[in-house]
Amino acid sequence: MSPPPARSPVRVREMTLADCDRVSRIRVRGWQTAYRGLMPQPYLDAMDVTADAERRRALFARTSDDVVHLVAEEKSGEVVGWACVGPYRDGEVRTADAELYALYVDTGRSGAGVGQALLRESVRRCETAGHARMLLWVLKGNTRARRFYERAGFGPDGAEEPFVVEGVAVPEVRYARPLIG
């Protein structure tokens, strides 16, 4: 007899406009923590939660129907993670593949299964939408994130490109995972 499936520490739901402030706090703190030493520190230090929330609200209002924003919420109702998925972007062209655009977890909840719950639901949504493959970009030097994605069945597919931050090229690696659709 197999063990029961692991219970998620959070409830994953679609994001609302009211979640933008909390999502921006999670995103900015996530960048400042995960990317320390991987990109210019002045850029990270200058990131502003309020300005990011304004951009996030504007982007959220313009989001097309094929892009899904998800949040992970604890029983208390506190949002502790955010993910965004949609069609893969090859420049300005959207392809038949899916892309995980973002996945961030509150830095105090790291390692508690929040990211796994968000990724699991993101994959499920992309499979349901009929995508055969899911892609994502991760900083080459972000070994923690790379291990997280590899444990979830993603792997580098050989594509790399520089992400330029304040004139500094920060290499990114593309990861892929086939989806069962």
Side-chain angles (χ1 to χ4, degrees):
M1 188 166 164
S2 61
R7 290 193 42 138
S8 176
V10 293
R11 176 175 79 101
V12 176
R13 63 169 173 80
E14 290 202 19
M15 182 178 159
T16 67
L17 191 60
D19 297 318
C20 286
D21 288 331
R22 181 67 181 139
V23 164
S24 286
R25 178 168 299 287
I26 291 166
R27 182 182 170 281
V28 168
R29 298 297 177 249
W31 272 62
Q32 291 172 331
T33 302
Y35 302 152
R36 181 173 285 119
L38 299 175
M39 59 179 54
Q41 193 61 43
Y43 178 81
L44 296 173
D45 292 343
M47 292 183 79
D48 179 71
V49 172
T50 303
D52 189 82
E54 289 175 20
R55 281 190 303 279
R56 193 100 2 249
R57 279 189 285 281
L59 288 168
F60 187 77
R62 293 191 319 261
T63 297
S64 64
D65 290 341
D66 55 357
V67 174
V68 178
H69 293 267
L70 301 169
V71 293
E73 159 180 280
E74 292 183 326
K75 285 183 183 180
S76 66
E78 182 178 8
V79 171
V80 294
W82 166 65
C84 184
V85 295
Y88 181 72
R89 303 163 295 182
D90 187 4
E92 295 299 313
V93 176
R94 292 178 177 220
T95 73
D97 290 323
E99 181 176 356
L100 178 66
Y101 303 139
L103 192 154
Y104 292 94
V105 173
D106 181 283
T107 56
R109 289 1 181 255
S110 183
V114 176
Q116 291 172 351
L118 283 164
L119 185 57
R120 210 172 20 254
E121 181 62 12
S122 296
V123 166
R124 188 191 72 75
R125 298 269 182 130
C126 292
E127 286 176 337
T128 300
H131 297 286
R133 186 169 72 141
M134 183 181 236
L135 304 164
L136 62 90
W137 290 93
V138 61
L139 293 185
K140 191 172 190 174
N142 191 345
T143 54
R144 184 174 188 182
R146 291 180 71 172
R147 280 194 306 265
F148 170 78
Y149 292 122
E150 288 165 4
R151 282 192 304 270
F154 288 84
D157 70 357
E160 293 188 25
E161 66 180 33
F163 174 63
V164 179
V165 179
E166 293 190 340
V168 176
V170 181
E172 287 187 304
V173 178
R174 189 172 69 188
Y175 272 46
R177 173 186 164 170
L179 300 177
I180 302 164

